[in-house]
Amino acid sequence: MTFSIVALSPGGHFLGVATSTCTLAVGAVVPAAAPRAGALATQAYTNRTFRSRVLELLRAGILPEEVPGVLRREDDLFDRRQLAIVDPTGRSASWTGPECSP
């Protein structure tokens, strides 16, 4: 089981993401963050390309709640994924696909 969190600091100056699991080096796969773009965690049946793609979408002005719809159109296995996103204004979105293991 993997636990992740994405957050924006109370003052709105810092974005962060953290993750923990039994898998070695999970920090190389699940979290991503970039200044003035956002922070995210992608897990379950992880698609590593989501890390750069989500940040690219946020930089392009796509709202966090719109990101899962974009990714769904690009990823045939999207229903196996989990995703959590926060942007620099505190808007957020999350997704757990119906095919994720319990």
Side-chain angles (χ1 to χ4, degrees), residues 20-49:
S20 178
T21 192
C22 64
T23 304
L24 186 63
V26 70
V29 179
V30 171
R36 294 175 297 284
L40 68 122
T42 174
Q43 60 189 48
Y45 192 74
T46 303
N47 182 336
R48 293 179 184 204
T49 65

PDB file of all heavy atoms in Angstrom, residues 20-49:
ATOM      1  N   SER A  20       5.041   7.337   0.735  1.00  0.00           N
ATOM      2  CA  SER A  20       5.641   6.257   1.514  1.00  0.00           C
ATOM      3  C   SER A  20       5.009   4.938   1.098  1.00  0.00           C
ATOM      4  O   SER A  20       3.802   4.856   0.869  1.00  0.00           O
ATOM      5  CB  SER A  20       5.388   6.502   3.006  1.00  0.00           C
ATOM      6  OG  SER A  20       5.912   5.440   3.768  1.00  0.00           O
ATOM      7  N   THR A  21       5.834   3.911   0.996  1.00  0.00           N
ATOM      8  CA  THR A  21       5.361   2.585   0.630  1.00  0.00           C
ATOM      9  C   THR A  21       6.422   1.555   0.990  1.00  0.00           C
ATOM     10  O   THR A  21       7.495   1.915   1.474  1.00  0.00           O
ATOM     11  CB  THR A  21       5.027   2.518  -0.879  1.00  0.00           C
ATOM     12  OG1 THR A  21       4.302   1.314  -1.141  1.00  0.00           O
ATOM     13  CG2 THR A  21       6.253   2.583  -1.739  1.00  0.00           C
ATOM     14  N   CYS A  22       6.149   0.298   0.696  1.00  0.00           N
ATOM     15  CA  CYS A  22       7.132  -0.759   0.949  1.00  0.00           C
ATOM     16  C   CYS A  22       8.090  -0.925  -0.232  1.00  0.00           C
ATOM     17  O   CYS A  22       9.067  -1.649  -0.124  1.00  0.00           O
ATOM     18  CB  CYS A  22       6.423  -2.072   1.245  1.00  0.00           C
ATOM     19  SG  CYS A  22       5.457  -2.677  -0.143  1.00  0.00           S
ATOM     20  N   THR A  23       7.835  -0.251  -1.334  1.00  0.00           N
ATOM     21  CA  THR A  23       8.675  -0.367  -2.518  1.00  0.00           C
ATOM     22  C   THR A  23       9.892   0.541  -2.389  1.00  0.00           C
ATOM     23  O   THR A  23       9.756   1.730  -2.108  1.00  0.00           O
ATOM     24  CB  THR A  23       7.875   0.008  -3.778  1.00  0.00           C
ATOM     25  OG1 THR A  23       6.724  -0.822  -3.847  1.00  0.00           O
ATOM     26  CG2 THR A  23       8.698  -0.156  -5.028  1.00  0.00           C
ATOM     27  N   LEU A  24      11.059  -0.005  -2.635  1.00  0.00           N
ATOM     28  CA  LEU A  24      12.296   0.754  -2.566  1.00  0.00           C
ATOM     29  C   LEU A  24      12.299   1.873  -3.603  1.00  0.00           C
ATOM     30  O   LEU A  24      11.878   1.686  -4.738  1.00  0.00           O
ATOM     31  CB  LEU A  24      13.485  -0.182  -2.812  1.00  0.00           C
ATOM     32  CG  LEU A  24      14.870   0.408  -2.648  1.00  0.00           C
ATOM     33  CD1 LEU A  24      15.099   0.870  -1.216  1.00  0.00           C
ATOM     34  CD2 LEU A  24      15.918  -0.620  -3.043  1.00  0.00           C
ATOM     35  N   ALA A  25      12.742   3.050  -3.222  1.00  0.00           N
ATOM     36  CA  ALA A  25      12.921   4.209  -4.103  1.00  0.00           C
ATOM     37  C   ALA A  25      11.615   4.712  -4.715  1.00  0.00           C
ATOM     38  O   ALA A  25      11.587   5.176  -5.843  1.00  0.00           O
ATOM     39  CB  ALA A  25      13.948   3.912  -5.185  1.00  0.00           C
ATOM     40  N   VAL A  26      10.538   4.650  -3.951  1.00  0.00           N
ATOM     41  CA  VAL A  26       9.245   5.129  -4.448  1.00  0.00           C
ATOM     42  C   VAL A  26       9.305   6.612  -4.821  1.00  0.00           C
ATOM     43  O   VAL A  26       8.584   7.066  -5.701  1.00  0.00           O
ATOM     44  CB  VAL A  26       8.122   4.850  -3.432  1.00  0.00           C
ATOM     45  CG1 VAL A  26       8.261   5.727  -2.195  1.00  0.00           C
ATOM     46  CG2 VAL A  26       6.761   5.046  -4.068  1.00  0.00           C
ATOM     47  N   GLY A  27      10.196   7.349  -4.192  1.00  0.00           N
ATOM     48  CA  GLY A  27      10.337   8.766  -4.488  1.00  0.00           C
ATOM     49  C   GLY A  27      10.831   9.053  -5.894  1.00  0.00           C
ATOM     50  O   GLY A  27      10.714  10.175  -6.386  1.00  0.00           O
ATOM     51  N   ALA A  28      11.338   8.045  -6.576  1.00  0.00           N
ATOM     52  CA  ALA A  28      11.779   8.210  -7.962  1.00  0.00           C
ATOM     53  C   ALA A  28      10.644   7.965  -8.952  1.00  0.00           C
ATOM     54  O   ALA A  28      10.814   8.186 -10.145  1.00  0.00           O
ATOM     55  CB  ALA A  28      12.924   7.247  -8.260  1.00  0.00           C
ATOM     56  N   VAL A  29       9.483   7.530  -8.456  1.00  0.00           N
ATOM     57  CA  VAL A  29       8.395   7.125  -9.339  1.00  0.00           C
ATOM     58  C   VAL A  29       7.107   7.908  -9.105  1.00  0.00           C
ATOM     59  O   VAL A  29       6.442   8.305 -10.050  1.00  0.00           O
ATOM     60  CB  VAL A  29       8.107   5.613  -9.162  1.00  0.00           C
ATOM     61  CG1 VAL A  29       6.965   5.166 -10.043  1.00  0.00           C
ATOM     62  CG2 VAL A  29       9.352   4.797  -9.431  1.00  0.00           C
ATOM     63  N   VAL A  30       6.734   8.142  -7.875  1.00  0.00           N
ATOM     64  CA  VAL A  30       5.414   8.667  -7.533  1.00  0.00           C
ATOM     65  C   VAL A  30       5.316  10.201  -7.512  1.00  0.00           C
ATOM     66  O   VAL A  30       4.411  10.764  -8.113  1.00  0.00           O
ATOM     67  CB  VAL A  30       4.940   8.073  -6.182  1.00  0.00           C
ATOM     68  CG1 VAL A  30       3.686   8.755  -5.676  1.00  0.00           C
ATOM     69  CG2 VAL A  30       4.713   6.571  -6.328  1.00  0.00           C
ATOM     70  N   PRO A  31       6.188  10.927  -6.816  1.00  0.00           N
ATOM     71  CA  PRO A  31       5.988  12.372  -6.653  1.00  0.00           C
ATOM     72  C   PRO A  31       6.629  13.215  -7.751  1.00  0.00           C
ATOM     73  O   PRO A  31       7.595  12.800  -8.396  1.00  0.00           O
ATOM     74  CB  PRO A  31       6.678  12.654  -5.322  1.00  0.00           C
ATOM     75  CG  PRO A  31       7.812  11.674  -5.281  1.00  0.00           C
ATOM     76  CD  PRO A  31       7.281  10.436  -5.962  1.00  0.00           C
ATOM     77  N   ALA A  32       6.061  14.408  -7.924  1.00  0.00           N
ATOM     78  CA  ALA A  32       6.662  15.417  -8.793  1.00  0.00           C
ATOM     79  C   ALA A  32       6.153  16.778  -8.343  1.00  0.00           C
ATOM     80  O   ALA A  32       5.029  16.906  -7.869  1.00  0.00           O
ATOM     81  CB  ALA A  32       6.306  15.181 -10.251  1.00  0.00           C
ATOM     82  N   ALA A  33       6.992  17.790  -8.487  1.00  0.00           N
ATOM     83  CA  ALA A  33       6.607  19.163  -8.161  1.00  0.00           C
ATOM     84  C   ALA A  33       7.496  20.117  -8.934  1.00  0.00           C
ATOM     85  O   ALA A  33       8.639  19.779  -9.258  1.00  0.00           O
ATOM     86  CB  ALA A  33       6.746  19.422  -6.657  1.00  0.00           C
ATOM     87  N   ALA A  34       6.953  21.285  -9.223  1.00  0.00           N
ATOM     88  CA  ALA A  34       7.730  22.312  -9.911  1.00  0.00           C
ATOM     89  C   ALA A  34       7.215  23.677  -9.472  1.00  0.00           C
ATOM     90  O   ALA A  34       6.004  23.872  -9.345  1.00  0.00           O
ATOM     91  CB  ALA A  34       7.615  22.169 -11.421  1.00  0.00           C
ATOM     92  N   PRO A  35       8.131  24.621  -9.233  1.00  0.00           N
ATOM     93  CA  PRO A  35       7.721  25.968  -8.831  1.00  0.00           C
ATOM     94  C   PRO A  35       6.763  26.580  -9.848  1.00  0.00           C
ATOM     95  O   PRO A  35       6.924  26.415 -11.054  1.00  0.00           O
ATOM     96  CB  PRO A  35       9.039  26.751  -8.806  1.00  0.00           C
ATOM     97  CG  PRO A  35      10.108  25.721  -8.682  1.00  0.00           C
ATOM     98  CD  PRO A  35       9.580  24.495  -9.375  1.00  0.00           C
ATOM     99  N   ARG A  36       5.771  27.269  -9.352  1.00  0.00           N
ATOM    100  CA  ARG A  36       4.781  27.978 -10.158  1.00  0.00           C
ATOM    101  C   ARG A  36       3.985  27.065 -11.087  1.00  0.00           C
ATOM    102  O   ARG A  36       3.271  27.542 -11.963  1.00  0.00           O
ATOM    103  CB  ARG A  36       5.421  29.129 -10.927  1.00  0.00           C
ATOM    104  CG  ARG A  36       5.949  30.229 -10.014  1.00  0.00           C
ATOM    105  CD  ARG A  36       6.688  31.323 -10.743  1.00  0.00           C
ATOM    106  NE  ARG A  36       7.896  30.882 -11.437  1.00  0.00           N
ATOM    107  CZ  ARG A  36       9.062  30.601 -10.835  1.00  0.00           C
ATOM    108  NH1 ARG A  36       9.188  30.722  -9.536  1.00  0.00           N
ATOM    109  NH2 ARG A  36      10.104  30.231 -11.544  1.00  0.00           N
ATOM    110  N   ALA A  37       4.078  25.738 -10.918  1.00  0.00           N
ATOM    111  CA  ALA A  37       3.289  24.803 -11.727  1.00  0.00           C
ATOM    112  C   ALA A  37       2.356  24.011 -10.831  1.00  0.00           C
ATOM    113  O   ALA A  37       1.145  24.128 -10.936  1.00  0.00           O
ATOM    114  CB  ALA A  37       4.203  23.871 -12.516  1.00  0.00           C
ATOM    115  N   GLY A  38       2.927  23.218  -9.909  1.00  0.00           N
ATOM    116  CA  GLY A  38       2.101  22.415  -9.021  1.00  0.00           C
ATOM    117  C   GLY A  38       2.869  21.245  -8.450  1.00  0.00           C
ATOM    118  O   GLY A  38       4.074  21.110  -8.645  1.00  0.00           O
ATOM    119  N   ALA A  39       2.126  20.402  -7.759  1.00  0.00           N
ATOM    120  CA  ALA A  39       2.684  19.177  -7.182  1.00  0.00           C
ATOM    121  C   ALA A  39       1.687  18.055  -7.439  1.00  0.00           C
ATOM    122  O   ALA A  39       0.476  18.283  -7.500  1.00  0.00           O
ATOM    123  CB  ALA A  39       2.926  19.344  -5.682  1.00  0.00           C
ATOM    124  N   LEU A  40       2.211  16.840  -7.586  1.00  0.00           N
ATOM    125  CA  LEU A  40       1.337  15.703  -7.838  1.00  0.00           C
ATOM    126  C   LEU A  40       1.952  14.423  -7.325  1.00  0.00           C
ATOM    127  O   LEU A  40       3.164  14.337  -7.109  1.00  0.00           O
ATOM    128  CB  LEU A  40       1.054  15.564  -9.335  1.00  0.00           C
ATOM    129  CG  LEU A  40       2.258  15.156 -10.191  1.00  0.00           C
ATOM    130  CD1 LEU A  40       1.951  13.867 -10.927  1.00  0.00           C
ATOM    131  CD2 LEU A  40       2.609  16.267 -11.146  1.00  0.00           C
ATOM    132  N   ALA A  41       1.091  13.443  -7.145  1.00  0.00           N
ATOM    133  CA  ALA A  41       1.505  12.077  -6.861  1.00  0.00           C
ATOM    134  C   ALA A  41       0.726  11.192  -7.823  1.00  0.00           C
ATOM    135  O   ALA A  41      -0.485  11.374  -8.002  1.00  0.00           O
ATOM    136  CB  ALA A  41       1.194  11.692  -5.417  1.00  0.00           C
ATOM    137  N   THR A  42       1.413  10.263  -8.472  1.00  0.00           N
ATOM    138  CA  THR A  42       0.765   9.289  -9.345  1.00  0.00           C
ATOM    139  C   THR A  42       1.139   7.909  -8.832  1.00  0.00           C
ATOM    140  O   THR A  42       2.307   7.606  -8.644  1.00  0.00           O
ATOM    141  CB  THR A  42       1.167   9.491 -10.824  1.00  0.00           C
ATOM    142  OG1 THR A  42       0.601   8.423 -11.591  1.00  0.00           O
ATOM    143  CG2 THR A  42       2.657   9.557 -11.037  1.00  0.00           C
ATOM    144  N   GLN A  43       0.132   7.101  -8.548  1.00  0.00           N
ATOM    145  CA  GLN A  43       0.416   5.799  -7.951  1.00  0.00           C
ATOM    146  C   GLN A  43      -0.598   4.773  -8.419  1.00  0.00           C
ATOM    147  O   GLN A  43      -1.286   4.998  -9.386  1.00  0.00           O
ATOM    148  CB  GLN A  43       0.450   5.898  -6.426  1.00  0.00           C
ATOM    149  CG  GLN A  43      -0.842   6.376  -5.817  1.00  0.00           C
ATOM    150  CD  GLN A  43      -0.685   6.670  -4.337  1.00  0.00           C
ATOM    151  OE1 GLN A  43       0.239   7.340  -3.924  1.00  0.00           O
ATOM    152  NE2 GLN A  43      -1.606   6.176  -3.544  1.00  0.00           N
ATOM    153  N   ALA A  44      -0.685   3.659  -7.712  1.00  0.00           N
ATOM    154  CA  ALA A  44      -1.419   2.456  -8.097  1.00  0.00           C
ATOM    155  C   ALA A  44      -0.635   1.832  -9.245  1.00  0.00           C
ATOM    156  O   ALA A  44       0.552   1.600  -9.103  1.00  0.00           O
ATOM    157  CB  ALA A  44      -2.874   2.733  -8.436  1.00  0.00           C
ATOM    158  N   TYR A  45      -1.239   1.604 -10.383  1.00  0.00           N
ATOM    159  CA  TYR A  45      -0.524   1.103 -11.545  1.00  0.00           C
ATOM    160  C   TYR A  45       0.092   2.339 -12.210  1.00  0.00           C
ATOM    161  O   TYR A  45      -0.468   2.938 -13.120  1.00  0.00           O
ATOM    162  CB  TYR A  45      -1.516   0.377 -12.458  1.00  0.00           C
ATOM    163  CG  TYR A  45      -0.903  -0.433 -13.556  1.00  0.00           C
ATOM    164  CD1 TYR A  45      -0.276  -1.651 -13.288  1.00  0.00           C
ATOM    165  CD2 TYR A  45      -0.965   0.008 -14.859  1.00  0.00           C
ATOM    166  CE1 TYR A  45       0.272  -2.393 -14.311  1.00  0.00           C
ATOM    167  CE2 TYR A  45      -0.417  -0.731 -15.884  1.00  0.00           C
ATOM    168  CZ  TYR A  45       0.201  -1.932 -15.610  1.00  0.00           C
ATOM    169  OH  TYR A  45       0.753  -2.665 -16.636  1.00  0.00           O
ATOM    170  N   THR A  46       1.230   2.750 -11.694  1.00  0.00           N
ATOM    171  CA  THR A  46       1.811   4.063 -11.982  1.00  0.00           C
ATOM    172  C   THR A  46       2.196   4.231 -13.445  1.00  0.00           C
ATOM    173  O   THR A  46       2.816   3.363 -14.043  1.00  0.00           O
ATOM    174  CB  THR A  46       3.065   4.288 -11.112  1.00  0.00           C
ATOM    175  OG1 THR A  46       2.691   4.144  -9.750  1.00  0.00           O
ATOM    176  CG2 THR A  46       3.650   5.661 -11.327  1.00  0.00           C
ATOM    177  N   ASN A  47       1.840   5.400 -13.977  1.00  0.00           N
ATOM    178  CA  ASN A  47       2.308   5.812 -15.295  1.00  0.00           C
ATOM    179  C   ASN A  47       3.321   6.917 -15.043  1.00  0.00           C
ATOM    180  O   ASN A  47       2.955   8.043 -14.718  1.00  0.00           O
ATOM    181  CB  ASN A  47       1.134   6.317 -16.145  1.00  0.00           C
ATOM    182  CG  ASN A  47       1.553   6.719 -17.531  1.00  0.00           C
ATOM    183  OD1 ASN A  47       2.712   7.049 -17.779  1.00  0.00           O
ATOM    184  ND2 ASN A  47       0.605   6.702 -18.455  1.00  0.00           N
ATOM    185  N   ARG A  48       4.597   6.602 -15.197  1.00  0.00           N
ATOM    186  CA  ARG A  48       5.660   7.568 -14.879  1.00  0.00           C
ATOM    187  C   ARG A  48       5.595   8.824 -15.738  1.00  0.00           C
ATOM    188  O   ARG A  48       6.050   9.875 -15.321  1.00  0.00           O
ATOM    189  CB  ARG A  48       7.029   6.916 -15.029  1.00  0.00           C
ATOM    190  CG  ARG A  48       7.281   5.841 -14.015  1.00  0.00           C
ATOM    191  CD  ARG A  48       8.629   5.224 -14.236  1.00  0.00           C
ATOM    192  NE  ARG A  48       8.822   4.121 -13.305  1.00  0.00           N
ATOM    193  CZ  ARG A  48      10.001   3.698 -12.934  1.00  0.00           C
ATOM    194  NH1 ARG A  48      11.095   4.253 -13.403  1.00  0.00           N
ATOM    195  NH2 ARG A  48      10.101   2.702 -12.092  1.00  0.00           N
ATOM    196  N   THR A  49       5.029   8.738 -16.924  1.00  0.00           N
ATOM    197  CA  THR A  49       4.951   9.921 -17.777  1.00  0.00           C
ATOM    198  C   THR A  49       3.992  10.967 -17.220  1.00  0.00           C
ATOM    199  O   THR A  49       4.059  12.133 -17.610  1.00  0.00           O
ATOM    200  CB  THR A  49       4.514   9.567 -19.217  1.00  0.00           C
ATOM    201  OG1 THR A  49       3.170   9.066 -19.202  1.00  0.00           O
ATOM    202  CG2 THR A  49       5.447   8.542 -19.834  1.00  0.00           C
TER     203      THR A  49
END
